């Protein structure tokens, strides 16, 4: 449970490394005047500081040290049961006009929201410690790298930000002392962890974020969804680059030819698994490496898109992670990891549904209650998470820290769809690809509060993360395509199609390599494909099925384009565009008409 712990008393050499930047110092003082903490702790990201904070967190009961033989240097945190996922209904984009936030965001006028938040923050840290976290997003020598400062009263946030971002000295040095430098101001307070006082607010024009009333990662690790995506997407449009909810992976052939692809899937649809894929035996000599598992920042150079991962760690969904589904993630989270809301076994190990082996006969569940395999509730929360440094990943790409980024050969959209969407298809061109991204949909998961399993449109997987008007975002995509002389090819995948018996048709996981291989073949210009009304799909001879054990009939089902399903899909697109109230660019309406014509002629 989230503890509202009293102030900590660090030794004199810890928590004192202040930046000399006057703008930051003044801002910190103004937040301190408002929240009135007992003391201010300046984080430097050092090992000594981390060890001190871990021992404090353990002493306060905000983390539990796990069995050090099984999971060295790893800890368990439990958030409040009312606070286990991102809260899109309490997430706001605060811009001078409602139109700037657009039809997909909650909006509030900045002055009004500041007033409300300042009222909530007044005296909120009394008797407690206020931590100041300097951090950098992006490789240090990337022109896209951004500096942020997050103020928080949660020690769990500090410990997690050290994993998720490049935190400490480096950020302070990079910002320097110029008071006009660009940096993000983030304020987080747990308040009393009350859903009625939970607001995640973004002020793009001020490069500022205020998050109150939550202790759950996606709401409070301000580097991630708030800065790298919501503020990031706003800055990206202004500055002519792309900030996307995409993994980045490298795929290398036995001959040493390497491509990078970026893929946007909605939350909890397997981005981390795909980014760490292990090719099946049949693909001996092929290697997949991870640049990032959640966010891509991409800029144009030499007519191509080049991507960096702004993050420094992975905040992944735990349940379902196993040596079968993702051996690389299992290795990564076997040490130096903070788990949130998993179960605790009697011998101090972390446990979750879907972990290898048998369930333990007894455990303490994510709420802190006794649990046995007979219990009707799950031991780990479905949205329980790991935070683990990317350096733990055995297949981390050698260019993960390269500021120049990696060149992107293909962009993949995808979602969780029981029907309609074939295993893979390729867009005819960038504009058609933008249409596919803008209309993509997925069945909802536990990553956000709300009903699970409903199909919702989630353009480019950015519905909860686009920090400005979605119509302008679509325009930015279209305009970006025009600036690319060598654009990535665009694809759509669906690992989740089901047969009439309700079972998944495709084995997924490592076998997704077969889809990736076709994508790479297409990017190299030698892969065949058949033209259909929705795009290109592989013909049987283009798609490697050796040693797969999936029948030709099942493959036909996986690639079936069923007129009645596509009629429904088209109506879904039209309804979605209509719901956006006139902001959708003409090019995309025209793409829909063209798709309707092609389907009618089919
Ligand atoms: C995440 C999400 O945590 O997308 O990455 O919800
Ligand atoms: Mn995500």
């Amino acid at each position: 449970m989230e503890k509202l712990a009293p102030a900590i008393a660090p030794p004199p050499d810890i928590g004192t490394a202040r930046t000399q930047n006057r703008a930051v110092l003044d801002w910190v003082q103004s937040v301190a005047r408002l929240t009135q903490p007992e003391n201010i702790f300046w984080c430097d990201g050092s090992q000594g500081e981390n060890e001190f904070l871990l021992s404090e967190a353990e002493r306060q009961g905000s983390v539990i040290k796990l069995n050090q033989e099984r999971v060295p240097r790893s800890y368990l945190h439990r958030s409040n049961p009312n606070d286990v996922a991102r809260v899109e209904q309490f997430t706001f984009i605060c811009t001078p006009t409602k139109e700037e936030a657009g039809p997909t965001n909650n909006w509030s006028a900045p002055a009004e929201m500041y007033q409300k938040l300042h009222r909530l923050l007044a005296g909120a840290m009394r008797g407690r410690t206020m931590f100041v976290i300097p951090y950098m997003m992006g490789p240090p020598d990337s022109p896209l790298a951004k500096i942020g400062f997050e103020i928080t009263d949660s020690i769990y946030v500090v410990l997690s930000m050290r994993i998720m971002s490049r935190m400490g000295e480096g950020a302070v040095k990079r910002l320097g002392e110029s008071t006009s430098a660009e940096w993000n101001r983030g304020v987080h307070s747990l308040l009393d962890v009350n859903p009625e006082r939970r607001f995640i607010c973004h002020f793009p024009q001020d490069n500022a974020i205020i998050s109150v009333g939550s202790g759950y990662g996606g709401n409070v690790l301000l580097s991630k969804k708030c800065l790298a995506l919501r503020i990031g997407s706003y800055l990206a449009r202004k500055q002519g680059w792309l900030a996307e909810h995409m993994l980045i992976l490298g795929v290398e052939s036995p001959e040493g030819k390497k491509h990078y692809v970026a893929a946007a899937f909605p939350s909890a649809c397997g981005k981390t698994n795909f980014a760490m894929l292990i090719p099946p035996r049949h693909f001996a000599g092929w290697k997949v490496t991870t640049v990032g598992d959640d966010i891509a920042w991409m800029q144009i150079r030499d007519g191509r898109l080049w991507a960096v991962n702004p993050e420094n760690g992975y905040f992944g969904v735990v349940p379902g992670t196993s040596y079968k589904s993702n051996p690389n993630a299992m290795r990564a989270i076997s040490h130096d990891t903070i788990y949130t809301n998993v179960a605790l076994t009697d011998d101090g190990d972390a446990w979750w549904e879907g972990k290898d082996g048998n369930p333990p006969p007894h455990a303490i569940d994510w709420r802190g209650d006794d649990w046995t395999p007979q219990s009707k509730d799950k031991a780990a929360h479905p949205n329980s998470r790991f935070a683990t440094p990317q350096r733990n990943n055995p297949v981390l790409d050698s260019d993960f820290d390269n500021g120049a980024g990696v060149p992107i050969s293909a962009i993949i959209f995808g979602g969780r769809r029981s029907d309609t969407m074939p295993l893979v298809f390729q867009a005819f061109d960038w504009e058609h690809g933008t249409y596919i991204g803008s209309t993509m949909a997925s069945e909802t998961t536990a990553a956000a509060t709300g009903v699970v399993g409903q199909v919702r449109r989630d353009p480019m997987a950015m519905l909860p993360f686009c920090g400005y008007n979605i119509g302008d975002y679509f325009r930015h995509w279209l305009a970006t395509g025009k600036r690319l002389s060598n654009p990535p090819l665009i694809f759509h995948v669906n690992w989740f199609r089901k047969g009439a018996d309700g079972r998944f048709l495709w084995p997924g996981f490592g076998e997704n390599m077969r889809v990736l291989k076709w994508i790479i073949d297409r990017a190299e210009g030698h892969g065949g494909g058949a033209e259909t009304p929705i795009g290109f799909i592989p013909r049987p001879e283009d798609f490697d099925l050796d040693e797969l054990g999936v029948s030709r009939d099942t493959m036909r089902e996986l690639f079936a384009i069923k007129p009645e399903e596509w009629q429904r899909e088209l109506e879904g697109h039209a309804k979605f565009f209509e719901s956006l109230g006139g902001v959708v660019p003409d090019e995309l309406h025209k793409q829909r008409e063209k798709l309707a014509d092609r389907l009618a002629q089919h």
Side-chain angles (χ1 to χ4, degrees):
M1 211 51 176
E2 195 60 66
K3 297 279 188 313
L4 296 182
I8 59 169
D13 56 332
I14 285 187
T16 52
R18 300 177 348 137
T19 167
Q20 296 306 311
N21 187 297
R22 199 66 253 162
V24 178
L25 291 169
D26 288 349
W27 168 73
V28 169
Q29 280 317 315
S30 73
V31 178
R33 268 196 304 278
L34 176 66
T35 58
Q36 297 177 21
E38 174 95 8
N39 55 2
I40 300 179
F41 185 111
W42 291 86
C43 303
D44 64 9
S46 66
Q47 187 61 29
E49 170 184 281
N50 194 46
E51 278 161 21
F52 168 74
L53 291 176
L54 279 167
S55 65
E56 275 299 311
E58 202 186 346
R59 199 177 56 79
Q60 294 172 357
S62 102
V63 298
I64 296 168
K65 197 178 206 166
L66 293 172
N67 183 323
Q68 293 298 288
E69 271 162 35
R70 288 174 185 245
V71 258
R73 300 171 299 283
S74 298
Y75 294 80
L76 165 66
H77 169 78
R78 296 192 186 116
S79 70
N80 267 18
N82 72 25
D83 184 31
V84 292
R86 286 185 292 97
V87 283
E88 292 171 14
Q89 68 277 34
F90 305 131
T91 299
F92 285 80
I93 301 296
C94 307
T95 42
T97 66
K98 189 169 187 324
E99 202 200 332
E100 285 162 276
T104 56
N105 285 309
N106 298 314
W107 173 81
S108 172
E112 224 167 274
M113 190 53 98
Y114 275 130
Q115 199 178 41
K116 176 157 143 183
L117 293 167
H118 288 173
R119 226 179 284 131
L120 290 169
L121 283 166
M125 298 187 192
R126 223 169 261 148
R128 313 187 49 220
T129 296
M130 174 172 123
F131 299 92
V132 184
I133 307 168
Y135 67 95
M136 174 166 29
M137 299 304 283
D141 56 353
S142 165
L144 296 182
K146 302 278 177 225
I147 301 299
F149 279 78
E150 176 167 355
I151 287 176
T152 180
D153 54 6
S154 159
I155 207 164
Y156 164 76
V157 168
V158 182
L159 297 170
S160 304
M161 285 291 286
R162 187 168 189 274
I163 294 174
M164 296 305 300
S165 69
R166 291 165 173 85
M167 165 183 159
E169 278 309 299
V172 169
K173 281 213 185 87
R174 165 129 181 174
L175 180 67
E177 295 186 22
S178 160
T179 52
S180 60
E182 176 194 279
W183 57 280
N184 181 268
R185 296 146 172 75
V187 177
H188 164 248
S189 175
L190 292 163
L191 303 183
D192 55 354
V193 202
N194 181 341
E196 282 168 27
R197 284 186 280 281
R198 186 166 296 157
F199 298 102
I200 322 298
C201 301
H202 308 72
F203 303 86
Q205 277 81 0
D206 300 342
N207 203 348
I209 304 160
I210 301 180
S211 163
V212 295
S214 172
Y216 167 75
N219 299 325
V220 299
L221 308 179
L222 301 185
S223 58
K224 192 175 182 62
K225 302 303 185 183
C226 302
L227 172 54
L229 285 179
R230 298 197 188 96
I231 299 282
S233 60
Y234 167 86
L235 292 174
R237 173 166 171 253
K238 222 168 81 172
Q239 299 168 356
W241 51 282
L242 294 173
E244 300 298 331
H245 191 201
M246 291 181 180
L247 67 90
I248 311 160
L249 65 80
V251 50
E252 190 177 335
S253 72
E255 297 76 41
K257 188 137 205 280
K258 193 160 185 182
H259 287 273
Y260 289 93
V261 309
F265 308 156
S267 308
C269 284
K271 284 208 299 298
T272 306
N273 289 345
F274 193 42
M276 297 182 184
L277 179 152
I278 296 184
R281 204 183 53 172
H282 180 59
F283 285 82
W286 285 83
K287 273 193 266 181
V288 170
T289 47
T290 319
V291 179
D293 81 326
D294 195 41
I295 299 175
W297 282 357
M298 299 188 281
Q299 61 174 334
I300 300 173
R301 203 169 62 247
D302 306 329
R304 303 190 73 175
L305 271 185
W306 295 76
V308 295
N309 170 16
E311 300 192 278
N312 201 25
Y314 310 129
F315 184 65
V317 176
V318 180
T321 307
S322 68
Y323 279 98
K324 180 167 170 287
S325 65
N326 193 339
N328 288 320
M330 286 301 284
R331 285 182 201 112
I333 65 178
S334 66
H335 61 101
D336 298 281
T337 293
I338 299 177
Y339 289 91
T340 301
N341 293 340
V342 297
L344 178 67
T345 63
D346 292 348
D347 57 356
D349 202 351
W351 190 81
W352 54 86
E353 279 75 15
K355 195 179 185 183
D356 307 86
N358 295 325
H362 173 265
I364 303 296
D365 72 11
W366 67 274
R367 298 168 191 264
D369 295 331
D370 284 310
W371 182 92
T372 70
Q374 284 71 46
S375 301
K376 67 176 193 332
D377 293 327
K378 297 217 185 297
H381 188 275
N383 192 37
S384 52
R385 297 282 178 143
F386 56 75
T388 201
Q390 62 179 341
R391 283 177 196 275
N392 279 15
N393 178 0
V395 294
L396 185 61
D397 191 86
S398 53
D399 273 326
F400 81 96
D401 212 19
N402 183 347
V406 296
I408 297 299
S409 302
I411 285 176
I412 307 173
F413 295 120
R416 203 177 264 276
R417 298 291 300 271
S418 306
D419 50 41
T420 315
M421 288 292 164
L423 181 60
V424 57
F425 65 100
Q426 183 195 338
F428 296 119
D429 53 31
W430 180 275
E431 190 177 291
H432 179 223
T434 302
Y435 174 75
I436 292 169
S438 72
T439 53
M440 70 186 244
S442 193
E443 289 150 22
T444 48
T445 67
T449 50
V451 186
V452 169
Q454 269 178 358
V455 173
R456 86 163 176 179
R457 299 283 148 198
D458 187 350
M460 284 82 170
M462 283 289 278
L463 184 72
F465 308 121
C466 181
Y468 62 99
N469 190 307
I470 197 82
D472 291 331
Y473 171 77
F474 294 155
R475 269 178 209 94
H476 182 45
W477 261 80
L478 293 167
T480 300
K482 296 206 172 79
R483 293 168 57 208
L484 294 168
S485 52
N486 192 359
L489 303 182
I490 299 183
F491 296 81
H492 186 284
V493 300
N494 176 24
W495 318 136
F496 302 94
R497 196 166 190 174
K498 290 179 178 169
D501 59 1
R503 300 246 279 257
F504 289 117
L505 294 166
W506 180 247
F509 302 111
E511 301 298 353
N512 294 336
M513 180 67 207
R514 294 169 195 269
V515 174
L516 198 49
K517 171 73 167 46
W518 182 68
I519 289 172
I520 299 306
D521 287 346
R522 295 292 287 176
E524 289 191 346
H526 57 67
E531 188 169 336
T532 78
I534 65 166
F536 297 106
I537 62 171
R539 297 164 305 179
E541 63 268 35
D542 304 320
F543 198 80
D544 191 339
L545 292 180
D546 284 358
E547 294 181 29
L548 177 62
V550 174
S551 70
R552 289 270 165 203
D553 278 353
T554 302
M555 289 310 294
R556 259 192 295 278
E557 266 287 282
L558 275 162
F559 282 108
I561 298 165
K562 299 185 181 168
E564 66 288 359
E565 288 182 345
W566 274 91
Q567 225 36 60
R568 225 182 306 131
E569 184 66 16
L570 257 183
E571 283 160 25
H573 296 181
K575 244 164 91 191
F576 178 58
F577 280 180
E578 218 172 280
S579 76
L580 299 180
V583 305
V584 177
D586 282 347
E587 289 95 321
L588 298 186
H589 285 299
K590 289 209 180 89
Q591 281 289 336
R592 199 187 63 80
E593 285 158 22
K594 284 196 222 169
L595 172 61
D597 288 348
R598 289 194 303 267
L599 285 165
Q601 282 159 24
H602 188 50

